Each structure stands twice: as structure tokens, then as C-alpha cells.
Amino acid sequence: MQIIPKANTLRKGVLLYRGIRYRKGFGVHSPFVFNLITKVIEERCQYYSFYDIELVRKRLLFRQDEVTYPDRRQKGKIRRRAIGRIVEREAIRPKHGALLFRLANYFKSKHILQLGPSMGLSTLYLTSYASDLKCIALENVPEFASIARIAFAEAAHNPVDLRVGRYKDLLPDALEDMVRLDLVFFNTLYEQQNNYWLFEACLKHVHGDTIFVFEGIKNSRKMREFWQEVCRHPEVTVTVDLYSMGIVFFNKKLHKRDYIVYF
């Protein structure tokens, strides 16, 4: 008789529950959220841009030239790795990148801000649906910014204003230079101590159609606590918890509610 559950039993049970809840939009009474789930989150169409972006990823993965950079997971340590290995570890997953593309495309986001461009691949996903977008990307690791520039040179559909430095130093000027904020992507897993400050700073520039997307909301205890604070914020109306990502809306016409959706 087995008393101790098998490894990952609890996690699999949680994922099964999430898979059933609101699957295909069932049980969702909000037309806005129903369309978001069925036409954006669960959409599986392969857009032409996906092939080009993933081709850039493959080229980067084969690069063996090494760079030295500060390890964001272990403060104070210096790492030296091949570019291909860094991209494998740090770049956004194709599934998540495709969702960013669908969000920007569905809501026609024209003014996009990124904190952490994920080797440039997430930027390509966000800015490939149209040719008249404005995008500012902030990166706090110069070596990662150099990799992002390679990606932009190969497949960027729009000019990307890539700025390198500490997020807290760069963000005020970036927000001032943006006419408005339509979509903000927070890839700030390694900036957990500054996450709420960054969120509050961007919050001052939102409008009814602004979207915030957070990467890695369940990756650590601090990230889980931060996500709960975001959900409770009075300016936030609808949140969608995808387990690996979180989506936030500020439309005052929507009833305040938190959704958990399988992704």
C-alpha cells in the first residue's frame, strides 16, 4: 500500500482542475473573457511570422561564440556560456511568444513596452503583426541586449528602441517617451525586489484598453505573492491566471474578477 503520493501527483491534480475550469470558455459569463479565452488564449493558428521568429531562434541556438555575463539567478556570480546555451535557458518559449503575438494582434496594441526582451524573441512576437508599431524594450544585462540586437537585425518588422541599464533608471524616461501604454510585458523574474515598484510606475500611464502581461507568476514564492497583490489592486478589473503567465486588464466596464485558465 502506497501512503506517500507519487512525485508530481499534486501538481498534476492542480493542472487537471485548471484544465477543466473555464475550458473552451465554459462557465464564463463575461463576453469579453469568453472571447479572450476562445479567440486568443486557446487559438492555435500558426501565423506566418512564427516560422520566421523560430528560424531566428534556431540560428541563435547554433551559435557557439561565448559571452561573459552576471548570473541573474545567483547574484555576484559571473557566467561564461555560448550564445546558444543562453538562448536555450533565457529566451521565451514558443508557446508563450505565440500568445504575446495573438494578444497584440487581437487588441491591436500600437504602443508596446517591454521589461526584459528575452533575447529579442518576445519582442519579435509582440511587434510582428503590423508595421506601424512603437516598441521600447528595456534590458538590464548588456550581453543579453547584444543577443537581442542580432535577433532584431534578422527579423524585426518594426524599429525597436532597445535601452540598456537598470530598469528603475530607464523606466521613467521610457514612460515619458511613450505616447500611451497599450501593452506592457513584464519579464522581470529576476527583479523580484523591484517588481511592485515597476508595476506601480507603469500603472500611472494605463488607459481602459491597456494590457499587462507577467511572465513566471508561479516561479517562486515572491512571484506568487506579487501576483496576488496585482490581483487585489483597486485599479485592476480582470485578471487571467495561466499558471506560467498572468494577464491583467484595467477596463472599468468589466466586473472585477480573477480567472484561472488552462494554457
Side-chain angles (χ1 to χ4, degrees):
M1 176 175 155
Q2 183 175 352
I3 299 177
I4 301 176
K6 293 182 179 179
N8 294 326
T9 300
L10 179 60
R11 180 177 180 275
K12 289 178 180 178
V14 171
L15 292 178
L16 176 62
Y17 169 73
R18 295 169 68 93
I20 296 173
R21 191 178 187 187
Y22 303 137
R23 183 66 172 167
K24 301 296 183 183
F26 294 136
V28 177
H29 300 290
S30 166
F32 175 86
V33 179
F34 180 86
N35 288 331
L36 176 70
I37 294 173
T38 57
K39 297 181 180 180
V40 181
I41 296 173
E42 296 188 349
E43 176 62 61
R44 293 295 180 264
C45 288
Q46 292 295 313
Y47 292 84
Y48 68 91
S49 298
F50 295 178
Y51 174 82
D52 296 335
I53 297 170
E54 288 308 310
L55 186 60
V56 173
R57 185 196 300 271
K58 289 180 180 179
R59 290 173 179 166
L60 290 173
L61 288 173
F62 279 106
R63 295 193 61 141
Q64 296 302 313
D65 38 327
E66 295 185 339
V67 297
T68 302
Y69 66 97
D71 194 322
R72 297 190 292 186
R73 300 184 184 186
Q74 296 180 324
K75 299 296 184 182
K77 287 196 174 183
I78 302 297
R79 298 288 185 184
R80 183 173 180 82
R81 289 193 174 99
I83 288 179
R85 179 63 174 150
I86 297 173
V87 171
E88 182 182 6
R89 287 167 56 91
E90 302 286 348
I92 193 168
R93 294 166 53 190
K95 182 179 180 181
H96 291 187
L99 177 59
L100 293 179
F101 177 96
R102 294 194 298 269
L103 281 168
N105 183 39
Y106 184 79
F107 291 102
K108 304 305 176 189
S109 303
K110 297 291 186 180
H111 299 85
I112 299 170
L113 175 65
Q114 274 194 285
L115 289 88
S118 297
M119 311 297 114
L121 297 178
S122 60
T123 314
L124 296 179
Y125 273 108
L126 281 167
T127 59
S128 294
Y129 86 91
S131 58
D132 57 344
L133 311 180
K134 179 177 182 179
C135 179
I136 296 179
L138 310 182
E139 177 57 76
N140 60 358
V141 180
E143 294 78 11
F144 291 174
S146 65
I147 299 174
R149 290 190 180 98
I150 298 173
F152 298 158
E154 291 195 17
H157 289 239
N158 295 274
V160 178
D161 185 355
L162 179 61
R163 306 181 184 185
V164 184
R166 294 176 65 248
Y167 293 147
K168 291 185 73 171
D169 295 336
L170 297 175
L171 186 58
D173 288 339
L175 291 172
E176 186 176 341
D177 293 340
M178 297 290 285
V179 178
R180 54 188 276 151
L181 284 181
D182 295 332
L183 193 155
V184 184
F185 177 51
F186 295 83
N187 184 26
T188 55
L189 178 60
Y190 305 117
E191 289 287 324
Q192 297 180 29
Q193 71 279 9
N194 296 322
N195 268 338
Y196 200 77
W197 185 93
L198 298 172
F199 168 70
E200 287 280 3
C202 292
L203 197 61
K204 298 174 183 177
H205 299 264
V206 302
H207 54 82
D209 297 322
T210 300
I211 309 165
F212 282 6
V213 183
F214 297 89
E215 177 79 5
I217 61 172
K218 299 298 176 66
N219 279 35
S220 68
R221 180 178 177 180
K222 282 188 177 181
M223 288 299 293
R224 292 191 292 270
E225 291 174 349
F226 168 64
W227 174 247
Q228 292 302 317
E229 290 182 13
V230 170
C231 293
R232 290 192 296 265
H233 199 283
E235 293 297 317
V236 171
T237 52
V238 169
T239 67
V240 182
D241 176 353
L242 304 177
Y243 193 81
S244 51
M245 301 178 79
I247 308 174
V248 177
F249 298 92
F250 302 90
N251 191 338
K252 297 302 182 182
K253 297 179 181 179
L254 303 174
H255 294 291
K256 189 173 181 65
R257 185 161 182 182
D258 305 319
Y259 293 86
I260 299 175
V261 180
Y262 175 78
F263 179 63

